[in-house]
Amino acid sequence: MPARFRKFDHKPRVIVTRRLPQPVETRMAELFDVTLNLDDHPFTRAELAAAMAEAEVLAPTVTDVIDGELIRGAGPQLKLIANFGVGVDHIDLKAARERDITVTNTPGVLTDDTADMVMTLILAVTRRIFVGERLIREGRWTGWSPTGMLGHRIAGRRLGIVGMGRIGQAVAARARAFGLAIHYHNRHRLPKAVEAPLEATWWPTLDAMLERVDIVSLNCPETPETHHIINDARLRLMPRHAFLINVARGTLIDEAALVACLERRGIAGAALDVFEHEPRIHPRLLELPNVVLLPHMGSATYEARQEMGEKVITNIRVFADGHRPPDQVLDLY
Ligand code: DGY
């Protein structure tokens, strides 16, 4: 057993970087020697460095960029980074491995809520939900008309899912019920037993799929291979009537290229829950009528956030008990 899975003989010293659901914080206070972030301000780099100099366990979120320099500067007592969230692209996994720091995340418990958000965005952008909502709120609605507020039917369209892991498959199951045909691009083809009920078509190359689908949903993690996976060249492959949906990570898309594409009506629209430079939004995106913009809320249900917190607690407890935590992230990229 590697040295890092060693039983603690005391309550682990845990620093949590953001406010977590109250029951989660209360349980952490019972179990651990914990410092909570009661005013919920995002940690500065200096605060993160200070926390990593003191904590045995850091419980960060996507708003904390934990790069190699911070990890190399961490105190020798830091043994576990127990991330609150499934995506770990904000943590330098290689640097963590080199320092023998274990990293965990919270997979599974946010799959359904995130997949629901993909369907919400598909419908919102194709049926122009927020355009209609604004019309009413701004007092500009003059009543029903046969040609008013027209959008596009999604049944019968082709959905291309980029990344067919847990969330991609949950999106596919929902989309089937809406009458969409499922296409996907993934490094590896899924087993027939998974493909068959979804009637899913695998595309070994992303470019070929992009040319043929009507809606593209990004559901892969951010890695060096997927960074800017949607760039200018790929946007130019998409049909002019296509829509792009992203609930995964903003950095999967070259946002400047997307803005230019939307401005020249290279695709019909985009629905984005995540952005390249969060929380900053490209100013020209705000001007575009054919986009839906949401503030990174794919997993934002009370239920998911509570269960994510419970996973963080379990990972810390199992680790402090001297065992491999259930959601250890391996540096496979
Ligand atoms: C996730 O779990 O990755 C969400 O995007 C929040 O970090």
Side-chain angles (χ1 to χ4, degrees), residues 61-62 83-88 90 106 110 247-249 274 296 299 305 308:
T61 74
V62 66
N83 188 55
F84 181 89
V86 69
V88 287
H90 55 292
T106 61
L110 42 73
V247 299
R249 281 293 180 267
V274 287
H296 198 149
S299 68
R305 295 289 162 87
M308 287 160 72

Side-chain angles (χ1 to χ4, degrees), residues 109-129:
V109 291
L110 42 73
T111 301
D112 286 330
D113 297 317
T114 308
D116 288 348
M117 186 58 80
V118 174
M119 291 313 301
T120 304
L121 287 179
I122 290 175
L123 290 165
V125 70
T126 56
R127 297 297 302 273
R128 305 173 64 216
I129 302 300

Side-chain angles (χ1 to χ4, degrees), residues 19 26 67 91 125 129 141 211 230 272 313:
R19 277 232 80 151
T26 307
D67 58 23
I91 302 170
V125 70
I129 302 300
W141 188 44
E211 284 175 344
I230 299 297
L272 310 171
I313 292 173

Side-chain angles (χ1 to χ4, degrees), residues 11-235:
K11 282 186 175 186
R13 173 88 189 94
V14 179
I15 298 186
V16 183
T17 67
R18 298 299 298 266
R19 277 232 80 151
L20 300 183
Q22 220 182 65
V24 174
E25 290 190 344
T26 307
R27 188 69 183 131
M28 281 183 150
E30 288 165 356
L31 294 171
F32 311 132
D33 171 11
V34 70
T35 301
L36 303 170
N37 175 359
L38 294 180
D39 68 13
D40 197 32
H41 70 282
F43 272 23
T44 62
R45 195 175 167 79
E47 284 173 308
L48 266 181
M52 291 168 72
E54 188 196 330
E56 290 170 309
V57 178
L58 185 75
T61 74
V62 66
T63 57
D64 305 302
V65 178
I66 303 176
D67 58 23
E69 195 185 323
L70 275 176
I71 288 176
R72 284 186 288 278
Q77 80 300 325
L78 183 67
K79 296 285 183 247
L80 174 65
I81 299 177
N83 188 55
F84 181 89
V86 69
V88 287
D89 46 290
H90 55 292
I91 302 170
D92 187 329
L93 296 179
K94 183 165 174 282
R97 178 165 43 79
E98 282 164 6
R99 273 287 319 269
D100 205 19
I101 296 170
T102 300
V103 178
T104 59
N105 67 347
T106 61
V109 291
L110 42 73
T111 301
D112 286 330
D113 297 317
T114 308
D116 288 348
M117 186 58 80
V118 174
M119 291 313 301
T120 304
L121 287 179
I122 290 175
L123 290 165
V125 70
T126 56
R127 297 297 302 273
R128 305 173 64 216
I129 302 300
F130 293 102
V131 178
E133 223 255 353
R134 269 197 302 274
L135 198 70
I136 289 192
R137 284 188 189 275
E138 292 169 6
R140 292 185 290 110
W141 188 44
T142 52
W144 188 87
S145 81
T147 53
M149 284 309 310
L150 301 184
H152 294 279
R153 178 187 295 163
I154 62 168
R157 301 280 176 161
R158 293 193 176 99
L159 171 65
I161 299 174
V162 182
M164 199 65 154
R166 281 192 193 83
I167 296 175
Q169 289 178 41
V171 170
R174 285 159 174 74
R176 278 301 290 154
F178 279 85
L180 286 152
I182 307 303
H183 293 248
Y184 73 97
H185 168 70
N186 209 39
R187 267 181 306 185
H188 306 294
R189 186 170 181 171
L190 296 178
K192 281 268 182 298
V194 180
E195 267 189 2
L198 299 169
E199 293 179 68
T201 304
W202 177 59
W203 292 92
T205 62
L206 177 58
D207 290 2
M209 184 178 85
L210 290 178
E211 284 175 344
R212 290 164 172 83
V213 296
D214 308 301
I215 301 168
V216 174
S217 173
L218 302 183
N219 295 107
C220 56
E222 156 77 24
T223 68
E225 286 73 40
T226 60
H227 184 80
H228 282 190
I229 193 168
I230 299 297
N231 54 19
D232 181 58
R234 290 212 162 111
L235 286 163

